[in-house]
Amino acid sequence: MLTGTEVLTTAQMRAIESAAMASGQVTGLELMERAGRAVAGHIRLRWPKAGCVTVLCGPGNNGGDGYVVARLLHRAGWRVRVLGTENMPGPDAAEMKQRWAEIGGIGPLTERGLQGGPESDVYVDAIFGTGLTRPPEGEIASILARIFGRGGDGAYHCSRVVAVDCPSGLCMDSGKAPALPPGRGTFDSPARLTVAFDSPKPGHLIGLGPMLCGELIVADIGLIQWRERNLASRGRRPVRLEAIWPRFDIPDARRIEFSLTDRLGKHPFASQHKYSHGHALVLAGGPAKGGAARLSARAALRIGAGLVTLAPPQDALPEYSSPPDALMRRALDDGDALRGALDDTRINAACIGPGCGIDRAAALLAVLLPTGRGTVLDADALTALSQDPGLMAALHGRCILTPHGGEFARLFPDLAEKVEATPSQWPAYSKLDAAREAAARCGAVVLLKGPDTVIAAPDGRARIHSAFDIPWLATAGAGDVLAGIITGLLARGFQPLDAASLGTLIHAQAARLFGPGLIADDLSEMIPQVLRDLA
């Protein structure tokens, strides 16, 4: 079974914490102490020379974590200033607040209070955690503007911010950030470090989350083992999300790589016959449109499909004669010709869209989709799909749609509008929600591309791939290569969700290995190195 790093929604995380405490095997005070110890420990690892720290503590359990951080850093020799709210927190947070009060004072958590003290080496944001239900307002919004906004000169107010669980105000189910008060700039200054607990949340990986969280550390506070031992054995495991190739530090985060190695490293040796590795058909366009399809076909071949056939119209066939010679070519002028080609049942996967032309894609989809073959729909095929409800109705569970944001808006305009809407309360409707709803609606896997790629299956399973660290991947033709990689994996027998997920991982890692200056042609040539590294 393909596995990865588990991602939990905020509601799932709260349910797990409540169940663990109700079991009597752990108390809220113990979890709070462990969380605060993790944050304090990572602060000391990054800045081993004790300095001055300001800890901002909110009214809930996140504030309780902050009081623990303050106490432990004080014990380690740091000069600690604490600003907290006056309202009475819950019993666990109140106990941690009292333990700190026996050591040091607590100033008012106001903008004036923040500005009034000496400048600190580190600011700890323990105001709001993952349980926030609406965007911050009033005085707290002004404080967040001071922490996470820019001044009039464009400079950040606080250069070293450590966020407890998440930057305050960030919706952890959507990655959306609140608007700051008028005239206070934008919520765009990242934390230097975010220490989350137990599992990453969707908001750490999508939307503005990867930018605002800075370096993300996920600390084990003892719930993972409890969950595996108790909830899983009772069949109560939460709905699973997975993060593939995450940018953060978490134990066993590379587990998906070994699953990939198992699937790619052992499968080719089960049989030496090329058809056991599948036959992929890349449906290409007419004259002067061949570049995109050639990129897709080359990628399908590199990922290990046994045969790959490029299929343009007859009048464009000479344009497809360039290397690699391992590619097969076959002229397919129309739907009737495609129907005849598909009589060969060894053709088990198809890629349609890159450079195909909208009208040609529509005609070929009408023949291809009813066969039930594994099919990757990209580019022109997605546009054709958006214009024909009959084609949309013909989608099936072995189809993979690979839209970018604009294509997704044409396919599912109502869902795209909900993602773009300004939320009045958290959790906001997210890119993850939209991809899942789209997959359920059309009955196919939806791979919604971007630096935060979300891959969703019709049954609700979803995977998140964060690639904010490789901006050079945003280059012409990169999507055509991704479509080809996924098609090759489909041909090799991978299930659609796995093919889309692994294809995204390999595609991104190829770009990471090459580095800046990448063009789409380079991606396929890096695939062998990616597979060697994984093996």
Side-chain angles (χ1 to χ4, degrees):
M1 173 63 183
L2 180 67
T3 59
T5 300
E6 188 171 62
V7 181
L8 298 177
T9 65
T10 56
Q12 290 171 343
M13 192 71 250
R14 286 195 298 272
I16 288 169
E17 289 173 342
S18 297
M21 290 185 288
S23 73
Q25 296 182 40
V26 67
T27 67
L29 282 175
E30 288 172 330
L31 292 177
M32 198 169 285
E33 184 74 23
R34 294 171 189 171
R37 186 185 307 127
V39 177
H42 282 290
I43 290 174
R44 294 180 62 193
L45 280 173
R46 275 148 188 76
W47 301 287
K49 185 177 180 180
C52 179
V53 60
T54 295
V55 184
L56 311 175
C57 297
N61 287 341
N62 199 247
D65 297 339
Y67 289 116
V68 176
V69 174
R71 172 165 45 85
L72 295 178
L73 289 180
H74 172 80
R75 184 184 300 169
W78 286 65
R79 300 187 306 280
V80 180
R81 180 168 69 117
V82 174
L83 304 179
T85 55
E86 294 183 358
N87 56 311
M88 183 62 66
D92 294 331
E95 172 63 23
M96 295 307 185
K97 184 176 183 179
Q98 178 59 36
R99 293 183 188 181
W100 166 253
E102 294 172 359
I103 299 172
I106 303 174
L109 182 58
T110 62
E111 188 178 10
R112 177 175 295 182
L114 179 61
Q115 289 179 276
E119 184 174 348
S120 294
D121 302 306
V122 177
Y123 293 83
V124 176
D125 168 21
I127 302 175
F128 294 126
T130 60
L132 196 64
T133 58
R134 58 186 173 86
E137 299 174 343
E139 183 74 21
I140 295 297
S142 296
I143 292 170
L144 294 179
R146 174 66 49 179
I147 300 172
F148 293 112
R150 295 175 185 255
D153 59 357
Y156 297 138
H157 293 298
C158 302
S159 60
R160 287 182 181 172
V161 177
V162 176
V164 178
D165 221 0
C166 65
S168 290
L170 182 67
C171 173
M172 293 314 297
D173 283 321
S174 69
K176 293 186 178 181
L180 294 179
R184 299 306 301 270
T186 57
F187 197 107
D188 63 359
S189 172
R192 180 70 65 87
L193 173 68
T194 295
V195 182
F197 310 120
D198 183 81
S199 301
K201 315 305 178 291
H204 289 127
L205 303 171
I206 62 177
L208 292 174
M211 188 275 287
L212 292 178
C213 290
E215 181 183 358
L216 179 64
I217 299 295
V218 182
D220 182 4
I221 56 172
L223 288 174
I224 296 174
Q225 297 84 349
W226 179 88
R227 182 165 71 253
E228 296 290 342
R229 186 170 60 250
N230 291 271
L231 296 185
S233 65
R234 302 175 191 175
R236 294 167 55 199
R237 191 174 186 84
V239 175
R240 186 179 184 85
L241 301 176
E242 292 177 288
I244 55 178
W245 206 272
R247 295 177 55 227
F248 47 80
D249 177 19
I250 180 172
D252 211 22
R254 298 174 70 84
R255 180 173 34 169
I256 191 166
E257 298 178 23
F258 299 109
S259 297
L260 176 62
T261 302
D262 289 343
R263 297 290 294 277
L264 290 182
K266 295 177 181 177
H267 177 72
F269 301 104
S271 168
Q272 297 301 319
H273 196 283
K274 58 180 176 288
Y275 285 105
S276 68
H277 299 169
H279 185 173
L281 181 67
V282 179
L283 294 161
K289 296 182 179 180
R294 286 197 297 269
L295 286 169
S296 299
R298 192 181 192 97
L301 199 61
R302 280 291 188 192
I303 201 62
L307 290 91
V308 178
T309 296
L310 265 167
Q314 180 67 50
D315 60 351
L317 191 60
E319 296 183 19
Y320 292 85
S321 60
S322 58
D325 294 333
L327 285 173
M328 301 174 68
R329 287 88 175 169
R330 176 173 181 172
L332 293 177
D333 281 328
D334 52 27
D336 288 338
L338 175 60
R339 188 175 290 107
L342 294 178
D343 286 341
D344 183 351
T345 58
R346 295 174 298 184
I347 297 175
N348 62 339
C351 175
I352 181 169
C356 189
I358 298 170
D359 292 341
R360 175 171 166 81
L364 297 181
L365 280 171
V367 173
L368 177 62
L369 292 177
T371 69
R373 280 175 169 82
T375 302
V376 177
L377 293 86
D378 189 36
D380 291 338
L382 297 175
T383 301
L385 197 66
S386 70
Q387 297 174 355
D388 189 338
L391 291 178
M392 183 73 81
L395 292 172
H396 52 81
R398 292 196 55 74
C399 291
I400 301 172
L401 280 57
T402 60
H404 55 57
E407 291 164 337
F408 185 86
R410 291 196 290 273
L411 289 164
F412 307 101
D414 57 325
L415 303 184
E417 185 177 345
K418 288 171 69 175
V419 172
E420 294 300 321
T422 300
S424 60
Q425 62 183 21
W426 299 153
Y429 191 82
S430 71
K431 184 175 183 177
L432 172 63
D433 296 322
R436 281 177 142 171
E437 193 169 344
R441 182 183 297 181
C442 71
V445 169
V446 173
L447 189 158
L448 181 48
K449 293 186 287 195
D452 53 346
T453 294
V454 177
I455 306 149
D459 62 5
R461 287 178 295 162
R463 291 167 184 163
I464 300 170
H465 185 283
S466 184
F468 284 81
D469 58 323
I470 40 176
W472 53 88
L473 186 52
T475 184
D480 304 319
V481 176
L482 175 61
I485 293 172
I486 296 170
T487 303
L489 291 171
L490 278 178
R492 294 187 58 173
F494 283 77
Q495 293 302 306
L497 180 62
D498 289 350
S501 303
L502 294 176
T504 302
L505 184 155
I506 294 167
H507 183 251
Q509 185 60 1
R512 287 189 180 96
L513 285 175
F514 190 92
L518 173 87
I519 62 173
D521 303 67
D522 301 319
L523 287 166
S524 291
E525 304 314 303
M526 298 304 297
I527 290 174
Q529 181 62 50
V530 174
L531 301 184
R532 283 193 295 270
D533 289 347
L534 294 177

